[in-house]
Amino acid sequence: MVSASPSSQASSRAASQAAPRGQTLLLDGITQRYGQSVAVNDVTLDIRGGELVALLGPSGCGKTTLLRIIAGFLAQTKGHVIVGGETVDGLPPNRRSVGIVFQNYALFPHMTVAENVAYGLDARGADRATQRAEAQRMLDLVKLGHLGDRYPRQLSGGQQQRVALARALAVNPSILLLDEPFAALDKNLRLDMQIEVKRIQRLSGITTILVTHDQEEALSMADRVAVLSQGRLEQFSPPTQIYDAPDSLFVNTFVGSANLLGGVLVDFDRGGGRVRLDAGGLIETRAPKGDLLPGARVTVCLRPEHLRVDPGAEGVETLNGVVEMGLPLGATVVHEIRVGDGSAVKVAEPRLERGLLLAPGTPVRLAPVAPRLASVFAAA
Amino acid sequence: MAAALRNVTTYDLKLAAPLALGFVVFFITPLVILLALSFQADPQGSHYGLTQYVNFLGDRFSLGVLGSTLWLGVKVTALTLLLGYPVAWLHQRAPSWAKGTIMLLVLLPLLTSVVVRTFAWVVILGRQGIVNASLAGLGLIDTPLKLLYTESGVVIALAQVQMPLMVLPLITALSRIDPNLADASSVLGSGHWRTFRKVILPLSLPGIVAGCLLTYAAAITAFITQSLIGGGQMLFMPMYIYQQASTLQNWPFAAAISIVFLVAVLVVVSIFNALGRLSRGYTNA
Ligand SMILES: Nc1ncnc2c1ncn2[C@@H]1O[C@H](COP(=O)(O)OP(=O)(O)OP(=O)(O)O)[C@@H](O)[C@H]1O
Ligand SMILES: [Mg+2]
């Protein structure tokens, strides 16, 4: 089996300290069917060496399925997985050089922490001394060097997760897969571990795929975020672009919060467009997505921080409304405004600028803080 | 709420009382009587002593029966484990629709009387039985093989009869193993065999121990199967005790060998139990 690989190779690998070693990963038109249903639909991702990519999407959108295909647990119905320029489609998991941290960590309960970490090296035929040294080095990396003799059940959740990470990294994989690795941790610990994982990933330069349905996690940790919905890739961009320039209505509403307003597209060029809102007013937007012609029904997405509330000053070509409620949320103030067509619009402003909360019933005018922030999509 | 919970625990003990009473009346008391009986020096009970035990332990024939019975249990347990583990493994890996079928096949023997099952083996193993008829029909043998009334026959029949006792605990143990562990093992570079040896097998040890314990206890005390398949030539402890008590009316000796048998079984059981506790120690994560 795999233990046929010579121990000298393992020890020389172990000797080469963590140098940037990211392999490129190309998912080429991956489709996965379960009977009639399609779990992953023609997903293509071109991931650079050393990149940290987050797979973000709601439950059941195919994130785990995609991960299992990369790891080789599942043979995809269509498409190719290409690591470092070579297709690995025919290879079983034990020949793919992939490291994986499961959501429940999946540590071997009958082995000590050190034995867990050394497991992969042992499978590769490394000698005892190498195994011990390398396991210790990995445990030091995740700051658990003193706990090698414990059993997994004697560790806290965060410590178990670090062991899982050390175990995955010990075999020097070319790709690291993390399946919702922080889901089971409480909030403070989660932040610590996110920083920790990011640090280790930077240090080792390993190409990493992080599966999550937590948008903050995806936006804060990843170099690029792939948003999936119902098995389809919606957008694959850097976090700021996902947030500021979403490609689809789904991405706009799934990432961050958004006010959706109906309207009619008046005109547009490559730089931006203008939409007459049903609720009243003309608004300057980003260039509309998709094949839209002037006169088309559209949905405008305005993030709460894209708007400003001007009390009293009602105008003709403006979006007018009445304050329903005001909430002071620490650094920001959020107002809910009932606008002309009856829909509620949330507006978030820095509290220092806003000053006083507006009383319910106050008539107000809503104005964008800057032109061309809103996104426009064909009406759903 | 808290009061209600406390009440439940107190009721629990009371609810166990009928069973405890039954246990004392129908198990502890006869056992004490048996023990007393075993110290009678002669069937008339004129005086007491260790005579019966001395007789048993000094008699090579009796010791031989004890030895072969304990050894029979080992062989049956080993064979059951060897055949049962793959069945449990198959059940674990099967899609859910097949699981029901496999479970039914495993449980089926329990739904028929042990006498019926044993007679089925008589039919299968006999001189004109299914095995011999098939082999002869294929021209592989001229004279029928002797299968019935041999120890191998007893071992095979007992293994089949006791199979559920082995497979059920194994299924339980295997289904408790997180499927991600096998995936983790393979992604770390292990092939199927290494994953089995290093992860699945050690983690299923509690099931192995429990299954072996049940099978062993059932196999060495299986009076009907031992006697019907073994026939007159082979003597095991249950039949030996029966002969002494019923046929020879030597109740004190029968009681004494029962006690010896009981102690021997208890020793084996406590060894299994110790192993079980060891294996559970590290699998309870
Ligand atoms: N073995 C299977 N057989 C049939 N359908 C499956 C199987 N595994 C997954 N699916 C389906 O495929 C789709 C994608 O599942 P997947 O587990 O990849 O989702 P996910 O994005 O990881 O969701 P979550 O965030 O809840 O973990 C789901 O609709 C699911 O029901
Ligand atoms: Mg999942």
Side-chain angles (χ1 to χ4, degrees):
Chain A
M1 264 163 243
V2 109
S3 51
S5 80
S7 62
S8 62
Q9 187 188 337
S11 45
S12 74
R13 273 227 214 110
S16 73
Q17 285 289 314
R21 52 159 177 267
Q23 292 270 22
T24 59
L25 170 64
L26 173 62
L27 302 180
D28 183 13
I30 301 282
T31 295
Q32 178 65 42
R33 282 203 191 84
Y34 289 115
Q36 287 303 308
S37 69
V38 184
V40 174
N41 195 345
D42 193 22
V43 168
T44 297
L45 287 176
D46 192 351
I47 295 166
R48 294 188 282 264
E51 203 174 9
L52 197 165
V53 167
L55 291 184
L56 177 65
S59 189
C61 70
K63 305 181 295 287
T64 300
T65 305
L66 212 46
L67 218 60
R68 295 181 66 81
I69 288 171
I70 300 169
F73 301 138
L74 201 62
Q76 67 272 24
T77 318
K78 246 196 259 162
H80 304 284
V81 179
I82 297 158
V83 177
E86 284 179 33
T87 164
V88 296
D89 293 334
L91 296 181
N94 54 342
R95 308 268 304 281
R96 284 207 180 182
S97 179
V98 163
I100 184 164
V101 174
F102 292 87
Q103 181 171 344
N104 63 354
Y105 316 139
L107 297 177
F108 304 121
H110 57 301
M111 298 181 195
T112 65
V113 165
E115 285 167 347
N116 263 283
V117 177
Y119 187 88
L121 298 165
D122 190 33
R124 281 163 173 70
D127 58 70
R128 294 262 155 205
T130 314
Q131 283 180 35
R132 205 168 315 123
E134 186 63 1
Q136 189 58 45
R137 196 175 73 78
M138 293 318 301
L139 284 174
D140 287 339
L141 181 69
V142 297
K143 299 177 181 160
L144 285 179
H146 55 299
L147 295 182
D149 292 332
R150 294 234 189 134
Y151 282 91
R153 64 174 177 277
Q154 299 167 321
L155 300 181
S156 73
Q159 290 170 333
Q160 288 186 20
Q161 196 206 28
R162 286 181 221 214
V163 176
L165 189 63
R167 182 179 71 175
L169 289 173
V171 294
N172 226 337
S174 37
I175 310 281
L176 179 64
L177 306 175
L178 309 168
D179 191 0
E180 310 226 6
F182 312 112
L185 305 179
D186 64 48
K187 210 175 165 198
N188 288 333
L189 191 56
R190 192 181 310 169
L191 193 60
D192 287 348
M193 282 309 298
Q194 285 170 349
I195 294 169
E196 187 77 5
V197 166
K198 184 84 183 167
R199 176 182 72 88
I200 292 169
Q201 194 263 341
R202 276 284 140 77
L203 211 65
S204 58
I206 186 171
T207 309
T208 303
I209 296 189
L210 166 73
V211 162
T212 178
H213 57 241
D214 178 347
Q215 40 151 319
E216 277 180 32
E217 184 171 297
L219 296 181
S220 63
M221 288 188 69
D223 299 313
R224 280 195 290 172
V225 179
V227 184
L228 295 170
S229 166
Q230 296 179 356
R232 286 193 165 278
L233 181 64
E234 293 275 335
Q235 187 167 0
F236 183 36
S237 315
T240 47
Q241 209 174 330
I242 293 273
Y243 191 84
D244 295 338
D247 277 349
S248 67
L249 188 57
F250 173 83
V251 175
N252 203 147
T253 49
F254 186 73
V255 179
S257 55
N259 296 301
L260 303 186
L261 292 170
V264 176
L265 187 60
V266 176
D267 56 16
F268 67 94
D269 55 28
R270 290 179 61 202
R274 290 191 304 158
V275 174
R276 183 168 305 285
L277 296 173
D278 297 344
L282 193 68
I283 188 166
E284 283 191 74
T285 65
R286 300 196 304 120
K289 288 282 170 189
D291 304 325
L292 289 172
L293 294 173
R297 294 277 321 151
V298 291
T299 300
V300 175
C301 294
L302 279 160
R303 297 210 182 274
E305 69 273 19
H306 288 166
L307 290 166
R308 195 179 63 221
V309 182
D310 287 340
E314 273 195 34
V316 192
E317 284 285 284
T318 54
L319 180 56
N320 305 317
V322 174
V323 174
E324 289 250 305
M325 205 190 324
L327 301 169
L329 294 179
T332 58
V333 171
V334 175
H335 282 105
E336 193 167 79
I337 315 291
R338 184 71 58 188
V339 293
D341 65 348
S343 47
V345 173
K346 282 196 182 63
V347 181
E349 296 162 283
R351 194 155 53 88
L352 286 180
E353 277 176 38
R354 166 75 259 162
L356 291 173
L357 274 185
L358 295 170
T362 316
V364 292
R365 186 174 76 113
L366 296 180
V369 292
R372 299 185 171 177
L373 287 175
S375 303
V376 181
F377 306 101
Chain B
M1 191 66 204
L5 283 178
R6 237 190 337 268
N7 277 345
V8 169
T9 31
T10 30
Y11 279 166
D12 264 355
L13 292 177
K14 280 186 203 155
L15 286 173
L19 182 65
L21 188 72
F23 194 69
V24 169
V25 172
F26 298 108
F27 185 72
I28 303 287
T29 315
L31 206 60
V32 171
I33 296 173
L34 191 73
L35 194 65
L37 200 58
S38 72
F39 288 114
Q40 288 185 6
D42 53 56
Q44 288 70 42
S46 47
H47 55 282
Y48 284 79
L50 289 174
T51 328
Q52 305 297 354
Y53 290 97
V54 173
N55 282 351
F56 182 89
L57 296 174
D59 177 20
R60 296 189 65 171
F61 176 77
S62 298
L63 286 178
V65 173
L66 178 64
S68 63
T69 307
L70 296 178
W71 184 231
L72 174 77
V74 171
K75 284 196 260 190
V76 172
T77 307
L79 183 64
T80 317
L81 179 61
L82 219 62
L83 298 176
Y85 204 103
V87 175
W89 174 249
L90 194 68
H91 177 271
Q92 186 54 26
R93 307 284 295 214
S96 46
W97 60 266
K99 279 191 177 178
T101 316
I102 296 173
M103 188 55 102
L104 182 70
L105 289 177
V106 168
L107 290 179
L108 212 52
L110 288 182
L111 304 179
T112 55
S113 152
V114 71
V115 180
V116 174
R117 274 182 279 161
T118 302
F119 270 116
W121 276 107
V122 172
V123 172
I124 293 168
L125 298 175
R127 283 180 72 81
Q128 255 84 64
I130 294 171
V131 173
N132 275 322
S134 310
L135 290 176
L138 290 169
L140 293 174
I141 51 169
D142 297 328
T143 50
L145 296 177
K146 188 169 165 53
L147 299 168
L148 200 58
Y149 310 134
T150 64
E151 194 180 8
S152 309
V154 177
V155 171
I156 292 171
L158 276 175
Q160 189 269 333
V161 167
Q162 319 296 5
M163 191 59 78
L165 299 180
M166 178 64 84
V167 175
L168 290 179
L170 283 178
I171 285 178
T172 310
L174 285 175
S175 65
R176 281 211 190 123
I177 301 177
D178 174 6
N180 280 347
L181 293 182
D183 283 347
S185 169
S186 75
V187 94
L188 286 167
S190 300
H192 293 299
W193 173 239
R194 189 169 184 278
T195 297
F196 175 74
R197 205 162 38 87
K198 294 272 186 176
V199 179
I200 306 295
L201 190 62
L203 290 178
S204 62
L205 261 183
I208 294 177
V209 170
C212 286
L213 188 59
L214 290 173
T215 313
Y216 187 83
I220 56 174
T221 52
F223 180 74
I224 294 168
T225 311
Q226 285 173 1
S227 326
L228 288 180
I229 309 283
Q233 283 96 329
M234 254 160 302
L235 189 59
F236 298 107
M237 288 300 278
M239 187 56 161
Y240 191 35
I241 296 167
Y242 175 77
Q243 283 178 352
Q244 292 300 324
S246 278
T247 318
L248 303 175
Q249 295 289 317
N250 190 354
W251 286 91
F253 187 61
I257 56 181
S258 296
I259 297 291
V260 171
F261 189 37
L262 188 67
V263 169
V265 172
L266 281 180
V267 168
V268 174
V269 165
S270 39
I271 292 173
F272 271 119
N273 259 340
L275 284 178
R277 222 169 297 125
L278 259 180
S279 66
R280 231 173 299 129
Y282 63 68
T283 39
N284 271 3

